[in-house]
Amino acid sequence: MSKFVKSATSKYKFGAHMSTAGGVSNSVQHAYDTGCNSFALFLKSPRKWVSPQYTPEEIEKFKKLVKEYNYDPLTDILPHGQYFINLANPDEEKALKSYDSFLDDLKRCESLGIGLYNLHPGSSLKGDHPTQLKQLASYLNKAIKETEFVTILLENMAGTGNLVGSNLEDLNTVIDLIEDKSRIGVCVDTCHTFAAGYDISTAETFQQFWDDFDRIVGLKYLRAMHLNDSKAPMGANRDLHEKLGEGYLTLKFFHLIATRYKFLKKIPIVLETPQDNDDGYGEEVDMLEWLETIPADSDLSKNDEFMEKYQTLQKNGAKSRKEQMAKFETKKKKPAATKRKAAGKDIISQMAKKSKK
Ligand SMILES: [Zn+2]
Ligand SMILES: [Zn+2]
């Protein structure tokens, strides 16, 4: 018996990014053993352009486990694209190389019966930003025509300027250019949102963010979330995920996630927090399901159990938050050019570490 149980009572699809070590089907077993109601995975090595195709046996095993553990492959599984895929790259050769890997990913999804796929929308680099957004959209249109059913989700980003998706307007611009709108959506990453400068940390400002999202992008395009706290302060443009409750978003924010919004009930909400092993994710999923049981409008400051947890977690992350605040203060004094470079690097080093485990 595993330590964690896949919840039959939670109204939300809380889950986490799972390892595929030993074969893609192992992610399903890990997800189940971790008590996940949804999960993410890499379809191939996140650090190599080309990987061997799945064997028919591996595909069968994946589908069998998905069925056995009662995951809906069209809505509960959210593969993550490779970070170096950049369909907005003004260098044509590099963009084409990205496209090949991207299309291969989408075909892998369909071979496994998976209905969603998460993509970092890339960077216009030194190109003209609006032109590169059009290029990105044309590659997405092409890929949609070359596949059958998988929906591509563009993830919002933590950076500024030429990093596509650092604001809601970019996402809207690209979606507007997609011919088959039933095959495009958005994945909102809570850490990225906050780091990009959207204040989502209180009930009022988070509501404001969803209002803005609905006005600019459209809530119907929200098809998944990545749930992470943020090591860096708001507007720092740093993609630094933190364990839930230990960062600047705090446990109060995750209580809002677990209680307030009906439209979050149907979509995968996937953890990408820094953990040493899957048990860490299992504990966070359990914690979210516990937060779900605390009524939305209750006075949290009078809830001893909540406040104790809140303070313990904030204390765990205090040193790290302080370090990042100091870096943010220093960076604010530097010219903009150095700021931009930093944005893409953080996540690559974080995930390189992760894929080793
Ligand atoms: Zn993410
Ligand atoms: Zn990230």
Side-chain angles (χ1 to χ4, degrees):
M1 266 293 279
S2 74
K3 215 165 129 188
F4 303 102
V5 182
K6 184 174 184 270
S7 174
T9 51
S10 173
K11 301 276 193 298
Y12 298 86
K13 294 175 190 283
F14 294 126
H17 189 106
M18 291 291 124
S19 151
T20 52
V24 75
S25 64
N26 287 348
S27 63
V28 192
Q29 186 69 50
H30 291 318
Y32 182 76
D33 290 343
T34 311
C36 291
N37 278 30
S38 68
F39 64 97
L41 68 152
F42 288 121
L43 297 159
K44 56 193 180 216
S45 166
R47 284 173 296 162
K48 283 190 287 188
W49 282 106
V50 183
S51 293
Q53 292 300 321
Y54 308 137
T55 61
E57 293 75 32
E58 188 59 22
I59 292 173
E60 271 326 295
K61 201 174 155 203
F62 185 93
K63 288 184 173 172
K64 190 176 153 268
L65 287 172
V66 163
K67 205 169 168 194
E68 189 177 327
Y69 294 140
N70 205 18
Y71 290 107
D72 182 341
L74 295 176
T75 54
D76 303 351
I77 310 176
L78 179 67
H80 200 302
Q82 295 164 302
Y83 297 107
F84 47 64
I85 290 178
N86 183 9
L87 301 173
N89 196 327
D91 180 325
E92 201 189 325
E93 203 180 308
K94 286 182 180 154
L96 276 170
K97 198 173 180 187
S98 285
Y99 182 76
D100 286 344
S101 189
F102 169 62
L103 186 64
D104 173 67
D105 264 3
L106 297 182
K107 289 188 169 163
R108 282 171 192 256
C109 285
E110 296 195 339
S111 75
L112 298 170
I114 294 172
L116 300 171
Y117 172 83
N118 180 77
L119 179 72
H120 284 191
S123 169
S124 58
L125 299 170
K126 289 188 177 111
D128 173 55
H129 196 68
T131 307
Q132 295 321 113
L133 292 185
K134 281 187 198 142
Q135 177 187 306
L136 164 62
S138 75
Y139 278 123
L140 296 174
N141 280 324
K142 187 167 146 67
I144 289 169
K145 284 197 196 104
E146 290 182 52
T147 50
E148 285 168 39
F149 61 87
V150 62
T151 297
I152 303 158
L153 308 191
L154 304 172
E155 181 171 0
N156 71 319
M157 292 285 106
T160 49
N162 45 13
L163 205 63
V164 180
S166 300
N167 58 53
L168 298 175
E169 286 77 6
D170 269 3
L171 299 173
N172 171 58
T173 303
V174 177
I175 291 172
D176 261 355
L177 295 167
I178 302 303
E179 286 150 20
D180 181 355
K181 294 199 173 23
S182 71
R183 304 267 312 268
I184 192 80
V186 172
C187 172
V188 168
D189 184 305
T190 52
C191 165
H192 299 179
T193 305
F194 185 67
Y198 294 96
D199 183 6
I200 51 173
S201 62
T202 71
E204 294 71 29
T205 58
F206 194 31
Q207 179 60 54
Q208 184 61 52
F209 171 77
W210 288 127
D211 292 345
D212 291 342
F213 186 94
D214 194 31
R215 183 171 46 82
I216 298 165
V217 181
L219 266 178
K220 68 176 176 193
Y221 290 111
L222 181 77
R223 299 291 302 278
M225 285 192 82
H226 282 169
L227 203 61
N228 301 301
D229 209 328
S230 172
K231 271 193 212 296
M234 188 181 75
N237 298 128
R238 296 294 306 270
D239 186 357
L240 291 173
H241 301 183
E242 180 57 290
K243 291 186 177 119
L244 304 191
E246 298 192 12
Y248 280 97
L249 285 173
T250 84
L251 202 60
K252 286 181 186 164
F253 171 76
F254 297 100
H255 177 253
L256 297 176
I257 289 275
T259 54
R260 290 247 165 175
Y261 297 99
K262 220 174 147 189
F263 56 79
L264 297 183
K265 286 182 181 172
K266 297 165 288 184
I267 63 172
I269 301 180
V270 177
L271 298 161
E272 298 176 317
T273 52
Q275 303 290 349
D276 297 327
N277 53 55
D278 287 348
D279 276 9
Y281 284 136
E283 279 157 23
E284 284 192 337
V285 168
D286 276 357
M287 188 169 77
L288 287 162
E289 288 165 358
W290 164 64
L291 290 174
E292 189 182 340
T293 65
I294 304 173
D297 293 317
S298 60
D299 185 350
L300 294 173
S301 67
K302 294 202 178 85
N303 182 328
D304 292 344
E305 195 188 359
F306 177 90
M307 286 315 291
E308 201 189 310
K309 188 83 191 157
Y310 172 91
Q311 273 147 7
T312 307
L313 294 173
Q314 277 291 288
K315 208 174 146 208
N316 290 347
K319 187 166 167 266
S320 184
R321 288 198 309 279
K322 203 176 152 197
E323 276 168 20
Q324 289 306 322
M325 183 57 90
K327 283 187 184 166
F328 182 47
E329 297 296 338
T330 316
K331 197 174 81 169
K332 273 199 272 189
K333 293 171 198 144
K334 284 187 192 163
T338 32
K339 274 188 201 167
R340 285 190 183 173
K341 261 205 212 149
K345 275 191 200 155
D346 302 332
I347 189 63
I348 291 165
S349 55
Q350 272 184 54
M351 295 311 286
K353 199 178 103 202
K354 189 169 176 174
S355 62
K356 268 186 225 141
K357 65 174 192 198

